Amino acid sequence: MNSIGEAITTVFGIVLVAAIALEIRQRRKRLRELYNVLDAEDRQLVADLDTLVANGILQPYAGG
């Protein structure tokens, strides 16, 4: 009887941790979409493009 209670508690704990992880993942995705946060690779690309514009190799988009 004791092992059944431990098994149920373990399963409940795993489900709870999975639900929390899913909620965190969804909130992080929503915040990234809201604030358009750049990751490290994107930041490096933007920095390289800014350098090219500063050196006159590229011209910034002027819009039509």
Side-chain angles (χ1 to χ4, degrees):
M1 190 71 165
N2 192 18
S3 63
I4 293 174
E6 289 177 9
I8 291 173
T9 302
T10 303
V11 169
F12 180 72
I14 291 171
V15 169
L16 182 63
V17 168
I20 291 171
L22 180 64
E23 181 67 23
I24 289 171
R25 183 177 297 145
Q26 289 175 346
R27 286 184 184 204
R28 288 181 73 197
K29 180 181 177 187
R30 194 174 318 129
L31 285 173
R32 281 192 187 114
E33 290 173 356
L34 180 64
Y35 292 107
N36 194 20
V37 176
L38 300 176
D39 61 4
E41 184 179 326
D42 290 337
R43 274 186 255 143
Q44 181 61 43
L45 179 64
V46 170
D48 291 343
L49 289 172
D50 285 341
T51 302
L52 290 174
V53 169
N55 291 337
I57 298 170
L58 290 177
Q59 297 297 319
Y61 180 71

